[in-house]
């Protein structure tokens, strides 16, 4: 099994070593799974349970004080499942898998996705707050009022997790936790799978959904390659970043070159920050980013060792 995982594209984290240890654990969990779908789910479970990443526990808080999770999964036969806007669901990736395997649909949202999770044994009503998010939320002065009042406040705060506004960029690119969406891609020599999971962006309008559950944007898988993306969600969706990587592989590039080219194009088109990981159908792994950092971990049985 070959697995590559990412912990989000953003600024360089203050404590990279503990985060890397969790990423290594996630890659190892995926690498010992039986199938690529099992592998990406197992890897992301580890990351969703760690408050060091913006997925599951410790996810970003929306404007109404609720943490909502989104996730997606796809295989190289283009089977797909996505779920979004789920309060209290730690393992959002498992709900996405339920959508893919148990329903005739590709995307289920909100309270209905939570009900689906509960029906298929995915734990709900989980406390997704971490010590970090509780402290940051407590320091905010959230305005009361209608949606327009909230939007006026959100336009200034959106993306920030620094309550004092010390981030250099108002879209949150300067914050190490804001883009910490997680993802995994796996290949067993025959088939590919890709998955992505997130808590969204800090202080987004309640109900905001980004790129993660949108096919071709935060994730994509086809016979040529599996891809997971992370970064500025609205811009990732505008250019369908993950599909762009896969298209370059289809045109003859290997996963590494395709990732590099797609990120170069993304930067030119949007001026924003993002990162991608990919595996192609020849088993070549790639990753690229234009943010300050994006931590990854790899498990490759061809090397018989875990690599960072």
């Amino acid at each position: 099994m070959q697995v590559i995982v990412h912990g989000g594209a953003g600024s360089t984290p203050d404590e990279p070593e503990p985060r890397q240890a969790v990423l290594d654990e996630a890659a190892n969990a995926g690498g010992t799974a039986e199938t690529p779908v099992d592998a990406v789910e197992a890897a992301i479970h580890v990351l969703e349970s760690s408050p060091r990443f913006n997925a599951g526990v410790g996810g970003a808080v929306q404007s109404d004080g609720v943490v909502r999770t989104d996730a997606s999964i796809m295989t190289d036969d283009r089977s797909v499942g996505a779920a979004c806007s789920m309060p209290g669901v730690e393992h959002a990736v498992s709900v996405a898998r339920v959508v893919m395997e148990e329903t005739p649909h590709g995307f289920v949202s909100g309270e209905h996705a939570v009900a689906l999770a509960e029906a298929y044994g995915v734990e709900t009503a989980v406390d997704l707050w971490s010590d970090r998010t509780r402290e940051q939320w407590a320091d905010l002065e959230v305005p009361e009022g209608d949606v327009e009042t909230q939007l006026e406040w959100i336009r200034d705060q959106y993306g920030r997790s620094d309550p004092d506004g010390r981030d250099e960029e108002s879209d949150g690119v300067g914050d190490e936790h804001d883009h910490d969406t997680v993802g995994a891609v796996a290949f067993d020599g025959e088939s590919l799978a890709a998955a992505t999971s997130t808590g969204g962006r800090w202080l987004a309008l309640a109900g905001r959904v980004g790129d993660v559950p949108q096919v071709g944007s935060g994730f994509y898988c086809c016979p040529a390659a599996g891809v997971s993306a992370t970064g500025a969600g609205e811009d990732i969706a505008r250019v369908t970043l993950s599909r762009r990587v896969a298209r370059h592989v289809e045109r003859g590039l290997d996963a590494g070159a395709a990732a590099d080219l797609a990120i170069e194009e993304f930067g030119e088109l949007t001026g924003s920050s993002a990162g991608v990981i990919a595996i192609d159908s020849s088993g070549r792994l790639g990753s690229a980013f234009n943010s300050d950092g994006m931590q990854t971990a790899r498990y490759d049985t061809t090397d018989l060792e875990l690599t960072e």
Side-chain angles (χ1 to χ4, degrees):
M1 187 74 72
Q2 293 173 288
V3 179
I4 181 170
V5 302
H6 70 72
S11 63
T12 303
D14 293 334
E15 299 180 340
E17 293 83 4
R19 287 165 50 88
Q20 189 63 52
V22 180
L23 286 163
D24 291 345
E25 179 186 352
N28 188 59
T32 55
E34 292 188 3
T35 69
V37 170
D38 292 337
V40 294
E41 182 181 31
I44 288 181
H45 272 195
V46 173
L47 302 173
E48 289 172 328
S49 294
S50 172
R52 295 186 179 278
F53 302 94
N54 178 15
V57 176
V61 185
Q62 294 193 331
S63 63
D64 60 351
V66 177
V67 180
R68 294 179 175 88
T69 57
D70 309 337
S72 53
I73 192 166
M74 191 170 184
T75 60
D76 58 8
D77 64 357
R78 293 188 174 86
S79 296
V80 63
C84 75
S85 296
M86 297 181 291
V89 176
E90 176 181 349
H91 294 306
V93 69
S94 293
V95 188
R97 183 172 182 176
V98 168
V99 174
M100 180 177 71
E101 296 181 342
E102 304 293 343
T103 81
H105 311 306
F107 198 165
V108 180
S109 66
E111 63 184 69
H112 304 292
V114 176
L116 182 66
E118 189 172 24
Y120 280 87
V122 180
E123 187 177 5
T124 61
V126 180
D127 181 2
L128 301 181
W129 289 78
S130 67
D131 291 343
R132 169 178 55 85
T133 54
R134 288 185 193 281
E135 291 172 3
Q136 291 166 346
W137 181 259
D139 287 339
L140 293 171
E141 295 182 4
V142 183
E144 297 181 0
D146 57 17
V147 171
E148 290 183 351
T149 301
Q150 279 204 331
L151 273 173
E152 183 178 353
W153 179 69
I154 288 167
R155 288 190 184 100
D156 178 61
Q157 298 290 330
Y158 179 51
R160 295 181 177 177
S161 70
D162 183 341
D164 296 320
R166 290 188 294 268
D167 294 329
E168 294 180 359
E169 300 181 21
S170 63
D171 65 357
V173 172
D175 173 51
E176 70 176 86
H177 298 296
D178 192 51
H179 289 331
D180 292 352
T181 290
V182 303
V185 183
F187 180 59
D188 65 357
E190 296 182 357
S191 58
L192 290 152
T196 309
S197 181
T198 190
R201 292 188 69 182
W202 185 261
L203 296 185
L205 183 68
R208 175 264 186 187
V209 178
D211 63 296
V212 166
Q214 298 188 49
V215 180
S217 298
F219 72 111
Y220 193 72
C221 195
C222 64
V227 187
S228 173
T230 170
E234 279 76 10
D235 289 321
I236 288 173
R238 289 184 182 105
V239 302
T240 54
L241 179 58
S242 290
R243 179 67 182 103
R244 185 176 292 265
V245 176
R247 187 180 298 116
H248 289 323
V249 175
E250 290 172 337
R251 292 172 176 169
L253 297 182
D254 63 42
D260 287 338
L261 178 56
I263 287 297
E264 180 182 350
E265 294 170 335
F266 175 81
E268 292 173 351
L269 288 167
T270 70
S272 293
S273 296
V276 293
I277 56 172
I279 304 179
D280 63 37
S281 59
S282 296
R284 296 167 296 192
L285 282 64
S287 65
F289 59 92
N290 65 352
S291 56
D292 290 341
M294 182 181 76
Q295 288 180 281
T296 64
R298 304 181 182 191
Y299 185 99
D300 191 341
T301 53
T302 61
D303 295 334
L304 298 179
E305 64 177 305
L306 183 69
T307 58
E308 296 181 7

